[in-house]
Amino acid sequence: MDTETQDRHGLTWQVTPDLLGVLNDSGLFEATNPAWEATLGYASSEIENRRFFDFIHPEDVQRTQDAFEAIQQGEPILNFRNRYRHKSGEYRWLSWNCVPERGKFYCSARDVTEAVDDRTALRSSEDEAALREQFIAVLGHDLRNPLAALKSGYALLAKEELSARGQTVIGHGTVTLNRMSRLIDDLMDFARTRLGSGLSLDITSGERLEVAIRGVIQEIRIVNPDVSIQSEILLTDPVPCDVARVSQLLSNLIANAVTHGDISSVISVRAYENADELLLEVENGGDQIEPAAMAKLFEPFVREEIRPSQEGLGLGLFIASQIAQSHGGKLAVNSDPQSTIFTFRMPRE
């Protein structure tokens, strides 16, 4: 741009960070300010006397053509966005204001690439959130419904006159379906904690907590008749909590002891309270947990790393720890050559 043009446009033309330009009615740049080089890498000599369409992203050409035709009819263009090619080859989003005056078009543009990227990221995040909800819905509906149908069918068959072998098959099948149901529960909770909004709680007075704890222990005894489980339940006052979730935590801890402990040893379950907190303990004999395994014990999907060939997804302890945290409590473990003890501590409100 010559000295006369610089003088005509003044100091603002030189120092503003916005891209300024003058177009003729053919779409040729007659003048550009230094911000073009700072933003897009082009010197004035590389921009001027070239049609602005030479720099437009192919996908934005038609929209830009329509806008240019509108301004040729005397309509100003405000906050019009398109992509301009940087000298490096990448594209930058520009937001344009352009007004016609005496056969010329006076334009200003601002680089809004970061803002557009942020909006795109937000839309992507919203799309991911919707996909997460769909994923949870699939787990909750498309898996649970056929499983419920199978369980109902097994319950009907169990009422029929069957041979001893048939009754055995029904019994084993029911156990398997119950395990599948627990796996779905684990997957649902994992989806909520990692992909959704976290575990949901239904806090009650806790009056039925003792009954629920005894029910969990009895249920596991029935499913595992060869395992000896001793319990000591010393709860005198209700403890506000989500009874179903605390029961789930305890069930996961006992199931873990059944799976990983010494089957010939006794599993001890203790539930008691003091002035400050509720405590649940599950103790079992067996091998000491190695330090490397201890570090990952409450992480999801690490079963194969810790003890290959074990059944399950490796989510039980992870979900138990999430339940503990959602109650403002903590799940800890202590392991030595004699026994392993998991302890859940929940502060009393």
Side-chain angles (χ1 to χ4, degrees):
M1 182 173 64
D2 57 32
T3 303
E4 180 182 352
T5 304
Q6 293 182 21
D7 293 341
R8 185 171 69 249
H9 293 293
L11 182 61
T12 300
W13 181 272
Q14 299 294 323
V15 300
T16 179
D18 289 349
L19 287 71
L20 304 179
V22 180
L23 283 170
N24 64 23
D25 57 5
S26 298
L28 296 175
F29 282 108
E30 293 185 350
T32 56
N33 71 333
W36 282 80
E37 186 167 9
T39 302
L40 295 176
Y42 298 107
S44 294
S45 59
E46 297 174 283
I47 294 287
E48 294 170 7
N49 297 314
R50 292 183 62 180
R51 299 184 78 237
F52 69 89
F53 285 107
D54 294 344
F55 304 96
I56 302 295
H57 191 288
E59 294 179 1
D60 298 338
V61 168
Q62 186 58 56
R63 289 191 307 108
T64 306
Q65 177 66 49
D66 294 341
F68 188 58
E69 291 176 359
I71 198 172
Q72 287 176 315
Q73 299 299 317
E75 299 179 19
I77 299 299
L78 302 176
N79 300 317
F80 177 80
R81 292 186 178 186
N82 59 10
R83 286 166 286 184
Y84 259 59
R85 186 177 65 251
H86 190 280
K87 191 171 182 178
S88 66
E90 66 176 2
Y91 284 89
R92 307 289 295 177
W93 280 97
L94 302 181
S95 178
W96 291 91
N97 294 315
C98 192
V99 294
E101 184 178 348
R102 295 192 299 270
K104 303 290 185 182
F105 307 104
Y106 293 86
C107 307
S108 68
R110 180 164 295 180
D111 186 349
V112 294
T113 303
E114 290 186 6
V116 171
D117 288 346
D118 289 344
R119 287 188 178 183
T120 301
L122 177 60
R123 285 196 299 270
S124 177
S125 178
E126 291 171 347
D127 290 343
E128 288 177 5
L131 182 60
R132 293 167 186 168
E133 294 300 322
Q134 292 172 7
F135 175 68
I136 294 174
V138 167
L139 287 177
H141 182 273
D142 292 350
L143 293 181
R144 286 188 186 278
N145 282 1
L147 187 63
L150 283 172
K151 292 176 74 172
S152 297
Y154 271 60
L156 290 174
L157 284 175
K159 297 178 181 180
E160 300 291 329
E161 291 186 9
L162 300 174
S163 65
R165 183 180 180 183
Q167 290 290 349
T168 299
V169 170
I170 292 294
H172 289 320
T174 301
V175 170
T176 299
L177 289 175
N178 288 335
R179 185 163 65 85
M180 289 173 64
S181 182
R182 288 194 296 272
L183 288 175
I184 293 173
D185 289 340
D186 286 349
L187 283 172
M188 289 282 288
D189 288 336
F190 176 77
R192 291 190 182 101
T193 56
R194 286 299 178 88
L195 305 177
S197 57
L199 294 178
S200 58
L201 295 181
D202 180 17
I203 303 296
T204 66
S205 64
E207 292 181 358
R208 295 190 54 80
L209 181 59
E210 179 176 350
V211 174
I213 289 174
R214 295 186 186 279
V216 167
I217 296 170
Q218 183 60 22
E219 178 182 298
I220 294 179
R221 281 175 175 154
I222 292 172
V223 176
N224 302 275
D226 297 331
V227 176
S228 177
I229 302 177
Q230 294 181 351
S231 63
E232 185 177 9
I233 314 299
L234 302 173
L235 300 178
T236 57
D237 298 316
V239 180
C241 65
D242 185 325
V243 173
R245 286 294 189 187
V246 173
S247 299
Q248 182 184 4
L249 178 151
L250 181 62
S251 178
N252 285 356
L253 294 182
I254 300 175
N256 181 76
V258 170
T259 301
H260 299 287
D262 182 355
I263 194 172
S264 63
S265 67
V266 176
I267 295 174
S268 297
V269 180
R270 296 180 287 273
Y272 56 101
E273 57 191 331
N274 56 37
D276 300 320
E277 58 189 1
L278 166 73
L279 294 97
L280 296 179
E281 294 180 345
V282 177
E283 179 179 6
N284 63 271
D287 296 336
Q288 181 177 2
I289 301 175
E290 297 295 329
M294 188 78 80
K296 296 183 175 182
L297 207 57
F298 297 117
E299 295 181 12
F301 302 121
V302 295
R303 173 63 48 80
E304 287 300 314
E305 299 178 31
I306 295 176
R307 192 171 296 187
S309 78
Q310 293 291 347
E311 293 183 348
L313 297 173
L315 288 175
L317 293 181
F318 167 75
I319 291 168
S321 69
Q322 294 296 305
I323 294 172
Q325 292 176 29
S326 67
H327 280 82
K330 183 177 181 181
L331 181 61
V333 59
N334 181 64
S335 185
D336 59 35
Q338 282 70 49
S339 66
T340 294
I341 304 176
F342 284 88
T343 303
F344 166 54
R345 296 176 178 271
M346 187 187 77
R348 299 187 63 169
E349 296 294 339

